[in-house]
Amino acid sequence: MTYLDAIAALADPTRRVIIDRLRSGPLPVGAIAKGMDISRPAVSQHLRVLSDAGLLTVTPEGNRRLYAIAPEGVDALRRYLDTLWDDALAAFARAATEKAKENKDD
Amino acid sequence: MTYLDAIAALADPTRRVIIDRLRSGPLPVGAIAKGMDISRPAVSQHLRVLSDAGLLTVTPEGNRRLYAIAPEGVDALRRYLDTLWDDALAAFARAATEKAKENKDD
DNA sequence: ACTTACCGTAAGTCATGACTTACCTAGATG
DNA sequence: CATCTAGGTAAGTCATGACTTACGGTAAGT
């Protein structure tokens, strides 16, 4: 049930910016914060939330810490949305056929 | 870019409960609020957020208003996560090969 | 027509969380 | 060993948003 935290984590625009910066590959905290209009500690806190949600992995590299997108975390979210998608389509189709039946009864 | 609001909308646990109640088909507001531990107006406000985000459709039916999951809204989110997934996998593979090259140099 | 469901909106309260600055620890470097 | 860089943590501030009650408006039933 880790996808619950993943959705909440992705809800913040700043955190989506961070995720976007990591799309091309792992980065240390400083590089992520560079050019963003919030302080480095704020970025650190966001990174904490994202990794707690299973969306990022951390690998200490000497002095620094490299953050990278965790494919499994993203996949958990995708699976949740897939079931939602399936149910939505099924409900949609069912409502459509019931509507057609109604009209026939007129 | 409607998926941005969709993520924020799904971030709230109460709204996910509402979505889950609609998985089996459209429901009026009263039926959704029934059994939930918040007031009906609160449910109304959540429904507003969800439909603004493109996740729900509303169809007035005489006295009531039927809310249903909008497949297109869910799909927008799925597409966003798909691109994220692709980038994450690519970055992961790239990091792995670079790591292997590093080890070879030792 | 009067009343009774059904539902959205307004205004106000209160908690959550996204920032800030200040501080501290752990590796790299001279 | 001294210092500098990289980065996590603590405490406090402030805005956002999730509730509440109160109210208004429209369709159905009598």
Side-chain angles (χ1 to χ4, degrees):
Chain A
M1 297 294 172
T2 161
Y3 76 92
L4 297 165
D5 306 290
I7 297 182
L10 282 182
D12 186 81
T14 305
R15 283 197 283 268
R16 278 196 300 261
V17 171
I18 293 177
I19 288 281
D20 280 339
R21 295 207 169 202
L22 292 175
R23 278 185 182 235
S24 48
L27 286 177
V29 180
I32 300 174
K34 191 106 181 179
M36 294 186 60
D37 53 353
I38 59 175
S39 67
R40 185 196 46 77
V43 174
S44 262
Q45 290 164 10
H46 282 303
L47 290 171
R48 178 88 144 87
V49 173
L50 286 168
S51 43
D52 280 353
L55 288 172
L56 295 184
T57 61
V58 204
T59 62
E61 182 118 342
N63 204 9
R64 314 173 306 169
R65 295 164 66 100
L66 286 181
Y67 284 88
I69 300 181
E72 318 84 46
V74 178
D75 195 41
L77 252 184
R78 286 176 76 215
R79 283 197 301 268
Y80 165 74
L81 284 179
D82 279 345
T83 70
L84 188 58
W85 165 261
D86 289 341
D87 287 352
L89 278 192
F92 192 79
R94 203 177 315 129
T97 58
E98 281 176 12
K99 195 75 183 175
K101 202 176 298 176
E102 264 180 37
N103 290 343
K104 188 187 263 184
D105 293 346
D106 289 345
Chain B
M1 294 293 172
T2 160
Y3 77 91
L4 297 166
D5 306 289
I7 298 183
L10 282 181
D12 186 81
T14 305
R15 284 197 283 267
R16 277 196 300 263
V17 170
I18 292 177
I19 288 281
D20 280 339
R21 295 205 170 203
L22 292 175
R23 278 186 181 235
S24 48
L27 286 178
V29 179
I32 300 174
K34 191 105 181 177
M36 295 186 59
D37 52 353
I38 61 174
S39 68
R40 185 197 46 78
V43 173
S44 263
Q45 290 165 6
H46 282 303
L47 290 171
R48 177 92 145 88
V49 174
L50 286 168
S51 43
D52 280 354
L55 289 171
L56 295 186
T57 61
V58 203
T59 62
E61 180 119 345
N63 205 9
R64 315 171 307 168
R65 296 165 65 98
L66 285 181
Y67 285 88
I69 302 181
E72 317 85 45
V74 178
D75 195 40
L77 253 184
R78 285 176 76 213
R79 283 198 300 269
Y80 166 73
L81 283 180
D82 279 345
T83 70
L84 188 57
W85 166 260
D86 289 341
D87 286 352
L89 278 192
F92 192 80
R94 203 176 316 127
T97 58
E98 282 176 11
K99 195 75 186 176
K101 203 176 296 179
E102 263 181 37
N103 291 341
K104 190 187 256 184
D105 292 346
D106 289 347

